[in-house]
Amino acid sequence: MNDVKKMTTFGDQDVLDLVAYAFQWALSEKNIDRYQRLAAHSWNYGSYDDDGRLASQVMATLFNVNLHGTAYPMAGIGFVASYPEYRGQGRIDRIMKQVIKDCYDQNIPLSYLAPFSFPFYRRYGYEYTFERSVYDIKSIDWPDSPKTAGSIKRLTWEQAKPIIHHIYHQQAKNHRGALIRDAWWEDIKFTLRKTFTFAIYYNATGVPEGYLIYSIDQGTFLIEEWGYVSGEAFHGLNRLIVSHRDSVAKIHYQVGDDSRHLQAFAKKPMPAISSRPDMMTRIIDLELFLKTYPFTNKEGKIAIQIDNDEYAPWNNGVYELSFEDQRPCIKRVTKTELPCLKTSIQRIGQLLFGVQDIKALLFFGEVIADEAVVGFFDTNLPKGKPVLEDYF
């Protein structure tokens, strides 16, 4: 059944109508602008019925991500939608097959998505990778910070934009799987979704070292993003938050970071912080990913065997992995004598992104490996859990 087409007229009314229906979007001028700008940087797919009506759609937006200093192209999946009368017909399934194949053909090794259902997207080879810490705290329970020598200025978006861009990319946590943000994405994220205030922290010599993007709505202080490259900037911006304690009832903050600085240094720890699973990741092209993966010590030889990758069958098989001139050397073979890791595309993704370590995967029976394989991954993988601030 050849019902899947790449859409080039993504601003047409039938597309906007499906978006409005599926996501309960008001088709305001701002929302239409937001969708069209996003679609202009995306591959847009539609499934059409026999009468030419749009039944289902998927958007794959083209980003780059930074994984421990290596930049990778990544397709971010969004706006997955079908009218109810077309559900259960395999239309999203056929679109996802096409998306994954197109990514492979265009040398895009990774894909991220925000799932409405983890089991639904696991069938396509995606797996839970990122977490979010959620602070939903009474304002009186938000911890204070010491005074700092710097100052804070509230700026317009155009004034703040280059500073935020620079500080965001300086932060070490944004080198563990986060988006490499381009200007077009920052404009969509910070001007077309909500009305935000942009506060910049300057140290005593006038150098910007942090930013806070926030809004206030119905008695809640909503932190959209909080970036800093010094402890002083962290404390200075936290004092800005604390200064609102008498005017708001709650402070809400969702952050793609598990460091919990606020709890660790608070004189009075907050009563409750929750964590939730967030975005999923899929390795589209394992061989391409491995060839430039930022292994650390670059020592040893192992094999990796992938089975049952139904939607990206080119990943199935045996890879011998070694190093030459400090670079990964990948060889596809039919069989190997090297120590071998037998696993799925989901588990190798979690391992290489740092979600799980090899010993935990082995302990719970999620992989098959011997001691030499365990030693290889203990020695050669970069440290640090993956972090993703952006939600697309």
Side-chain angles (χ1 to χ4, degrees):
M1 185 175 180
N2 188 21
D3 60 307
V4 176
K5 299 177 183 178
K6 264 192 175 180
M7 302 184 293
T8 56
T9 54
F10 45 78
D12 279 2
Q13 194 61 45
D14 57 348
V15 176
L16 295 174
D17 286 344
L18 178 51
V19 170
Y21 184 93
F23 300 102
Q24 299 178 22
W25 262 32
L27 290 182
S28 64
E29 184 177 339
K30 181 178 281 191
N31 276 344
I32 292 172
D33 186 18
R34 174 185 163 195
Y35 181 84
Q36 291 180 340
R37 286 202 210 180
L38 191 61
H41 293 274
S42 307
W43 296 338
N44 306 280
Y45 297 82
S47 171
Y48 294 82
D49 70 12
D50 293 340
D51 296 321
R53 297 188 189 92
L54 180 64
S56 304
Q57 72 164 32
V58 172
M59 179 185 287
T61 305
L62 306 181
F63 295 102
N64 290 287
V65 297
N66 181 334
L67 187 63
H68 299 287
T70 300
Y72 289 99
M74 185 276 289
I77 305 301
F79 289 100
V80 179
S82 295
Y83 282 115
E85 61 268 29
Y86 296 107
R87 290 173 188 160
Q89 298 178 1
R91 292 178 184 274
I92 296 299
D93 190 81
R94 291 189 290 276
I95 293 176
M96 289 301 296
K97 281 183 179 178
Q98 189 63 52
V99 172
I100 291 169
K101 180 62 165 59
D102 287 351
C103 287
Y104 176 71
D105 289 342
Q106 296 298 316
N107 296 319
I108 297 174
L110 297 175
S111 179
Y112 293 1
L113 58 79
F116 72 89
S117 165
F118 283 87
F120 180 82
Y121 285 108
R122 280 193 177 108
R123 63 196 279 192
Y124 302 122
Y126 290 83
E127 189 50 80
Y128 149 62
T129 304
F130 298 100
E131 287 185 342
R132 288 186 96 69
S133 295
V134 181
Y135 299 77
D136 198 32
I137 306 294
K138 291 180 180 179
S139 59
I140 58 172
D141 291 327
W142 193 267
D144 205 343
S145 278
K147 291 182 179 181
T148 60
S151 61
I152 291 174
K153 294 181 182 179
R154 287 182 291 117
L155 304 180
T156 66
W157 167 241
E158 290 304 321
Q159 292 169 328
K161 180 177 178 179
I163 300 170
I164 291 171
H165 180 90
H166 179 67
I167 292 174
Y168 169 87
H169 289 99
Q170 277 189 301
Q171 294 176 95
K173 70 175 185 177
N174 290 330
H175 301 171
R176 303 203 301 270
L179 297 191
I180 300 172
R181 297 206 299 217
D182 293 320
W184 67 265
W185 170 245
E186 290 170 327
D187 285 336
I188 291 172
K189 181 177 178 66
F190 296 122
T191 69
L192 294 177
R193 292 173 60 242
K194 295 179 181 178
T195 299
F196 294 115
T197 298
F198 305 96
I200 306 298
Y201 182 87
Y202 298 85
N203 68 18
T205 63
V207 176
E209 293 186 342
Y211 63 86
L212 188 72
I213 303 172
Y214 66 93
S215 61
I216 300 173
D217 183 41
Q218 297 181 352
T220 299
F221 189 95
L222 301 164
I223 302 170
E224 177 67 15
E225 193 168 293
W226 186 359
Y228 42 86
V229 292
S230 71
E232 179 186 311
F234 165 79
H235 287 299
L237 290 165
N238 189 51
R239 285 185 64 82
L240 175 64
I241 298 169
V242 170
S243 72
H244 291 81
R245 283 196 299 200
D246 293 335
S247 59
V248 299
K250 288 172 53 176
I251 298 173
H252 184 82
Y253 181 33
Q254 294 192 40
V255 57
D257 187 4
D258 65 342
S259 55
R260 304 282 178 89
H261 300 310
L262 284 164
Q263 282 289 64
F265 304 124
K267 292 181 180 179
K268 179 185 175 184
M270 286 176 278
I273 301 171
S274 62
S275 294
R276 65 172 176 82
D278 195 30
M279 304 282 269
M280 303 179 83
T281 299
R282 197 221 204 277
I283 298 177
I284 300 284
D285 186 340
L286 180 59
E287 183 173 359
L288 180 59
F289 187 51
L290 289 171
K291 282 180 177 178
T292 52
Y293 183 82
F295 292 101
T296 52
N297 290 343
K298 300 179 176 62
E299 297 175 353
K301 295 181 180 181
I302 63 161
I304 299 170
Q305 181 177 326
I306 303 295
D307 297 314
N308 302 317
D309 190 349
E310 179 184 351
Y311 287 83
W314 48 84
N315 285 328
N316 293 323
V318 180
Y319 305 75
E320 290 188 338
L321 167 59
S322 59
F323 299 98
E324 293 181 5
D325 299 324
Q326 296 293 294
R327 294 163 106 32
C329 180
I330 312 299
K331 183 180 179 182
R332 299 291 292 264
V333 296
T334 55
K335 59 181 180 179
T336 184
E337 300 299 321
L338 294 177
C340 189
L341 169 68
K342 296 180 181 179
T343 186
S344 65
I345 197 66
Q346 285 99 335
R347 295 296 172 251
I348 190 67
Q350 288 188 315
L351 181 61
L352 295 175
F353 268 80
V355 182
Q356 296 285 353
D357 64 42
I358 185 67
K359 291 178 181 176
L361 291 171
L362 187 62
F363 180 84
F364 289 106
E366 295 293 331
V367 302
I368 299 174
D370 61 22
E371 285 301 316
V373 171
V374 172
F376 177 91
F377 284 107
D378 274 347
T379 300
N380 285 293
L381 292 190
K383 305 301 181 184
K385 291 182 68 174
V387 174
L388 184 66
E389 291 282 5
D390 290 69
Y391 186 98
F392 49 84

